[in-house]
Amino acid sequence: MQTLDLIVGSQMGSAEYVAEQLVESLESQGISVNLHEQPELEACQQALWLVVTSTYGAGDYPENLLPFIAALNDKSDLSDLRFAVIGIGDSSYDTFNHAALNLAELLKEKGATLLLEVAKIDVLQPDLPEDTAVAWLPKFIECIA
Ligand SMILES: Cc1cc2nc3c(=O)[nH]c(=O)nc-3n(C[C@H](O)[C@H](O)[C@H](O)COP(=O)(O)O)c2cc1C
């Protein structure tokens, strides 16, 4: 069975809710998930990560992700890591989904492999973010098969 770390960046709970729906869907498809809602780098030991994060400020990371990002900045080599990122943002901001995009760049700089283009969910769209995220999952599952 595949196991992945699901890392959540969320300030008001939307990304957290999306992540919880993803856990249900992934586990029903035989993928085991370690959910990190207060992520600590040391606890994320799998070679496969799925990150779900919102964006705050002017394109900043949500607060719960800041210690994780600081630890990542100090880490030199993540070349064994494969990952994908789902961003949840609001397209009325110029910095639409910048936390998700910046995190993907940071992981790539550290040598990790981005499996799919960053999924940029827009809370202004009529579809529920969790439905859009779950609809995106088959592409991800195909990549990790
Ligand atoms: C103060 C504030 C700043 C925000 N800044 C951004 C931003 O720069 N870019 C973006 O895409 N979304 C931005 N958003 C939208 C949030 O990312 C969006 O509402 C998201 O669903 C929040 O998820 P959360 O509840 O998991 O924190 C901002 C929202 C607030 C309230």
Side-chain angles (χ1 to χ4, degrees), residues 25-86:
S25 186
L26 284 161
E27 294 203 324
S28 74
Q29 295 175 75
I31 297 161
S32 171
V33 182
N34 298 333
L35 179 64
H36 304 271
E37 291 184 333
Q38 296 298 328
E40 287 177 18
L41 186 57
E42 289 308 308
C44 299
Q45 293 293 333
Q46 300 301 319
L48 179 62
W49 290 0
L50 176 57
V51 182
V52 181
T53 185
S54 60
T55 296
Y56 276 86
D60 300 334
Y61 295 109
E63 272 175 22
N64 76 313
L65 214 49
L66 294 176
F68 181 80
I69 298 295
L72 264 183
N73 273 316
D74 288 343
K75 185 110 183 161
S76 56
D77 180 28
L78 289 172
S79 51
D80 291 335
L81 177 69
R82 297 184 307 151
F83 73 101
V85 182
I86 299 175

Side-chain angles (χ1 to χ4, degrees), residues 119-135:
K120 288 176 276 180
I121 295 178
D122 184 357
V123 293
L124 297 187
Q125 292 297 312
D127 295 333
L128 292 172
E130 57 273 24
D131 291 348
T132 309
V134 168

Side-chain angles (χ1 to χ4, degrees), residues 32 46 87 95-97 105 108 121 127-128 131 139 142:
S32 171
Q46 300 301 319
T95 47
F96 177 50
N97 269 314
E105 282 310 308
K108 283 198 294 182
I121 295 178
D127 295 333
L128 292 172
D131 291 348
K139 275 197 285 191
E142 202 179 309

Side-chain angles (χ1 to χ4, degrees), residues 9-16 54-59 88-90 93 95-97 123:
S10 180
Q11 212 145 299
M12 299 296 285
S14 305
E16 226 168 73
S54 60
T55 296
Y56 276 86
I88 303 184
D90 177 329
Y93 289 86
T95 47
F96 177 50
N97 269 314
V123 293

